[in-house]
Amino acid sequence: MATYSLEGPVTDLSTDSGIALYESALAFERTGGSEGSELRISGEVDFEHLNDEINDDDDDDDDDDEEEEGDDDAPIDPNDPDAARKKQERRDRQRQRYLDLKKKREAKKFTQLQQIRQDGEPVTMTHKAPRDGWYRFCVTSSWNQVIAEMEMRKESDLGGLNEEGHVRTYEEQKMMEEDKELEEDTATEEGIKDEDFQETRQKVKDLRRLLNDIQSMQQKERRRLTVHAETNEHSHSSMVLNSLMETLLFMAVTGYQVYTIRKWFSGAPVLGR
């Protein structure tokens, strides 16, 4: 388990030396920065127990209650002249209740899936900086050593946010620039009709998106392998430490037993008189 924190600005952009940055960071930690102009964010990440707090049990009690509430329609008299209309209205109500219930279940499932984070999936945060300056991002382990890979991106450099509401990655920005170049490119200079080149342009875009997805999957797989390797190493270290503690405890108990038996035998003749 590790704790991450983002704080700042510790100083303005005019600071250009490491010693000055270090002293400014210490001063920021003592004073807490200017009131209303500082950014302080922290949280915990446990890659060994990603989804222990997620409840996977299907809690359908509310859904069952809604279904029971919908079954209170009174029976329709077949001799009623409006029986056909009432039956149709009842079917419409039942269908609407079913659609509402299905929509609620899908929303609940989507919410649960959003809470689940898989191996290798990074912790992504997007926050607006209160003002220009130097910010510090720290990762602190709770007990054992951890390996962290950090990347800080600015919206002003990468041109906006992606569909998930986070700052675009460098790969996404590069792909958008290439798509823009394709849109601006015309084939008239080479004697090709633009409508003939349109399909080729779309195929190239799809191919680049597919390549970007493959690269993202490879990065995620590398991170997942790194997490597994570190988890295995931590588990091995814990097992070795536990074995050492058990061995020391066994030796201590054995030594105490030997001491007790020797003392008992040394006092036996005295007790036998």
Side-chain angles (χ1 to χ4, degrees):
M1 179 179 292
T3 303
Y4 63 86
S5 62
L6 175 62
E7 300 174 329
V10 297
T11 184
D12 53 26
L13 295 177
S14 60
T15 305
D16 56 357
S17 66
I19 297 177
L21 276 176
Y22 177 74
E23 293 176 351
S24 300
L26 293 179
F28 177 85
E29 190 171 352
R30 289 193 302 267
T31 61
S34 302
E35 185 67 24
S37 63
E38 72 278 358
L39 181 66
R40 290 182 179 272
I41 300 167
S42 62
E44 291 185 350
V45 180
D46 188 357
F47 285 99
E48 296 185 19
H49 308 86
L50 288 176
N51 305 309
D52 288 353
E53 298 180 358
I54 303 299
N55 185 11
D56 295 332
D57 297 334
D58 293 331
D59 187 10
D60 297 332
D61 295 339
D62 297 338
D63 299 342
D64 295 339
D65 294 340
E66 292 186 6
E67 291 179 355
E68 292 177 359
E69 291 177 0
D71 295 334
D72 58 352
D73 292 337
I76 299 175
D77 187 1
N79 298 324
D80 191 343
D82 297 332
R85 180 180 59 82
K86 292 181 179 180
K87 289 181 180 180
Q88 182 63 33
E89 292 177 352
R90 183 172 63 180
R91 284 194 295 267
D92 293 341
R93 289 194 301 269
Q94 292 174 349
R95 176 175 175 80
Q96 186 61 38
R97 280 196 297 266
Y98 171 76
L99 293 177
D100 294 341
L101 185 60
K102 182 179 179 181
K103 184 177 180 181
K104 181 180 178 181
R105 289 174 177 172
E106 291 177 352
K108 182 179 179 181
K109 183 177 180 181
F110 180 74
T111 303
Q112 290 180 346
L113 289 176
Q114 282 185 323
Q115 297 175 352
I116 297 177
R117 185 159 48 83
Q118 303 296 332
D119 288 344
E121 186 175 350
V123 178
T124 307
M125 299 184 302
T126 299
H127 298 279
K128 184 177 181 180
R131 57 187 175 89
D132 295 340
W134 289 92
Y135 290 79
R136 67 176 183 180
F137 185 83
C138 303
V139 177
T140 307
S141 63
S142 302
W143 179 256
N144 297 287
Q145 181 181 359
V146 296
I147 296 178
E149 179 181 344
M150 297 175 288
E151 181 181 74
M152 300 186 70
R153 306 187 298 268
K154 293 195 304 180
E155 181 183 1
S156 58
D157 294 340
L158 297 175
L161 306 178
N162 56 19
E163 297 178 354
E164 298 177 356
H166 300 296
V167 178
R168 294 172 184 164
T169 62
Y170 293 98
E171 292 79 9
E172 292 174 343
Q173 177 65 13
K174 183 178 180 181
M175 185 179 65
M176 293 189 65
E177 291 177 353
E178 292 175 349
D179 290 344
K180 186 177 180 180
E181 291 178 359
L182 282 176
E183 291 294 338
E184 295 176 352
D185 186 20
T186 59
T188 55
E189 298 178 358
E190 300 180 5
I192 304 175
K193 294 182 179 180
D194 189 67
E195 55 269 17
D196 296 336
F197 188 65
Q198 185 67 29
E199 184 177 357
T200 303
R201 182 187 294 117
Q202 187 62 37
K203 293 293 184 181
V204 172
K205 287 183 180 180
D206 295 340
L207 184 60
R208 287 181 175 175
R209 290 191 181 93
L210 180 60
L211 179 61
N212 185 67
D213 293 339
I214 293 175
Q215 291 176 346
S216 299
M217 292 178 62
Q218 289 177 342
Q219 291 178 357
K220 182 178 179 180
E221 185 67 17
R222 284 195 294 267
R223 288 193 295 263
R224 187 181 67 85
L225 293 176
T226 302
V227 170
H228 284 185
E230 294 300 324
T231 302
N232 292 335
E233 183 178 355
H234 173 253
S235 301
H236 176 71
S237 301
S238 300
M239 183 180 63
V240 172
L241 181 60
N242 293 335
S243 300
L244 179 61
M245 294 296 295
E246 291 177 359
T247 302
L248 293 176
L249 180 61
F250 176 76
M251 293 176 62
V253 172
T254 303
Y256 178 75
Q257 289 178 343
V258 171
Y259 170 76
T260 304
I261 293 174
R262 287 176 60 88
K263 186 176 181 181
W264 183 77
F265 276 109
S266 62
V270 178
L271 295 176
R273 291 179 182 177

